[in-house]
Amino acid sequence: MKGNAEVLNHGKNIVLIGFMGVGKTTIGQLVAEKLDWEFIDTDQEIERRHHMSIPAIFEQKGEAYFRKVERELIVDVCTKERQKVLSLGGGAYLQEEVRNACLSHGIVVFLDLSWENWKKRLPSIVHDRPLLKNKTLEEIKQLFEQRKQAYSQYHYRVVTDGLDPETVATRMMELIRGRNAK
Ligand SMILES: Nc1ncnc2c1ncn2[C@@H]1O[C@H](COP(=O)(O)OP(=O)(O)OP(=O)(O)O)[C@@H](O)[C@H]1O
Ligand SMILES: O=C(O)C1=C[C@@H](O)[C@@H](O)[C@H](O)C1
Ligand SMILES: [Mg+2]
């Protein structure tokens, strides 16, 4: 399965989108390993470049600054790179410029998870997602629902309910491959 860039999208970048905690980082890493492509996680890359955690960047530099850096990084990767698996931060795709760059240069895969199953992940992710902190479950549900509209622009959707990361990664690659074979 490795080294088949020609077969898969002629080397077009694969971009994972979806709400916080649906598994973009986890699945993106697995897909990159299977393809032997480089993996870029926008949150991790921003943390690396700043020598700061995402919560610290939000606190010390503000969300607007984070969104600008996030947008510039994604547009840069989408327009200049190939054979990358790019996992976005959960809010990145709300920016129109990000959506346009991803949709026109890459293959965009939306990881979809139901609210009922997403809720179960909250305790494990809340500590390092500033936008989830100090919110009630009802407020988080509203954010979850509000963002559905932005995530509705994609090339492929994978419903991840009840699937372990390995199965999601395999399903995602089968979907993309199927399209390419047509
Ligand atoms: N298919 C899955 N089944 C069960 N747990 C999962 C699955 N995918 C991811 N997880 C777990 O859910 C948590 C969040 O996953 P991950 O960090 O990959 O999400 P994310 O979409 O990258 O979030 P963010 O938007 O905040 O970057 C992790 O603890 C991860 O182990
Ligand atoms: O959904 C969001 O707005 C965010 C998701 C995370 O990946 C980080 O990018 C940050 O915590 C913001
Ligand atoms: Mg992530």
Side-chain angles (χ1 to χ4, degrees), residues 148-162:
K148 278 187 178 164
Q149 178 63 28
Y151 303 134
S152 68
Q153 292 173 266
Y154 54 77
H155 297 110
Y156 298 103
R157 177 175 77 121
V158 181
V159 177
T160 66
D161 290 88

Side-chain angles (χ1 to χ4, degrees), residues 18-27 43 88-90 121 124-125 129 160 163-165 168:
F19 197 67
M20 270 171 269
V22 294
K24 301 177 295 297
T25 300
T26 309
I27 313 296
D43 288 333
L88 303 195
R121 292 201 193 159
S124 68
I125 64 169
R129 269 70 168 187
T160 66
L163 303 182
D164 61 55
V168 177

Side-chain angles (χ1 to χ4, degrees), residues 84-107:
K84 303 283 183 286
V85 177
L86 181 65
S87 290
L88 303 195
Y93 208 67
L94 272 75
Q95 303 192 68
E96 191 181 4
E97 207 182 323
V98 168
R99 289 198 297 276
N100 290 341
C102 296
L103 286 164
S104 48
H105 296 278
I107 296 291

